[in-house]
Amino acid sequence: MERTTDMGTPVTDQSQAFVFADAVEKEELGGGVSRQILGYGPDLMIVRVWFAEGSVGPVHAHPHSQASYVESGRFEVFVDGEKRELGAGDSFYIAPHLDHGAVCLEAGVLIDTFSPVRKDFLGKEG
């Protein structure tokens, strides 16, 4: 699905200036996890991620900086060898290339921000 501005001009390296959540499809990732890309440009991306209780964000690493906010639920979060339990209102930061992951203890939502944009989430290389 090609994105366009209100004037019909294709947008390829950024989202619309205003993104309405009810107009953006959720992408089912499997294992009780789904995501919704809420806005992005070359240097920044914000993504809402839903987790069912017991679902897992497997340990991985990437070259992006990531800051995440726990909107709801409870999560056991692993960052660079350390685990902490986090709930609504808590947050965590992941420097580039650090191993990290999460287990959802109580169904909830994370708001993830990335810098630069996660081109792989957009179906592009990078």
Side-chain angles (χ1 to χ4, degrees):
M1 174 173 74
E2 183 175 74
R3 301 176 200 275
T4 61
T5 66
D6 290 342
M7 302 298 291
T9 306
V11 175
T12 57
D13 65 346
Q14 66 185 37
S15 65
Q16 301 284 337
F18 299 98
V19 178
F20 297 93
D22 61 355
V24 178
E25 284 186 51
K26 277 191 200 178
E27 179 183 0
E28 297 297 328
L29 303 176
V33 181
S34 58
R35 74 175 167 222
Q36 184 182 48
I37 297 171
L38 295 176
Y40 65 93
D43 298 323
L44 186 65
M45 174 180 260
I46 186 167
V47 180
R48 178 180 283 155
V49 188
W50 286 263
F51 289 83
E53 185 174 320
S55 59
V56 176
V59 175
H60 64 287
H62 46 69
H64 311 83
S65 295
Q66 178 178 341
S68 297
Y69 172 78
V70 181
E71 180 180 286
S72 62
R74 295 205 65 74
F75 295 84
E76 180 182 72
V77 178
F78 169 85
V79 179
D80 195 31
E82 188 173 349
K83 283 184 187 178
R84 294 290 171 98
E85 189 172 317
L86 303 173
D90 295 334
S91 61
F92 54 99
Y93 170 74
I94 304 154
H97 306 289
L98 292 184
D99 286 338
H100 61 283
V103 175
C104 183
L105 305 174
E106 176 186 306
V109 176
L110 296 180
I111 304 297
D112 292 339
T113 57
F114 299 97
S115 179
V117 65
R118 291 287 307 258
K119 291 181 183 177
D120 54 324
F121 284 13
L122 301 172
K124 301 175 183 178
E125 290 186 30

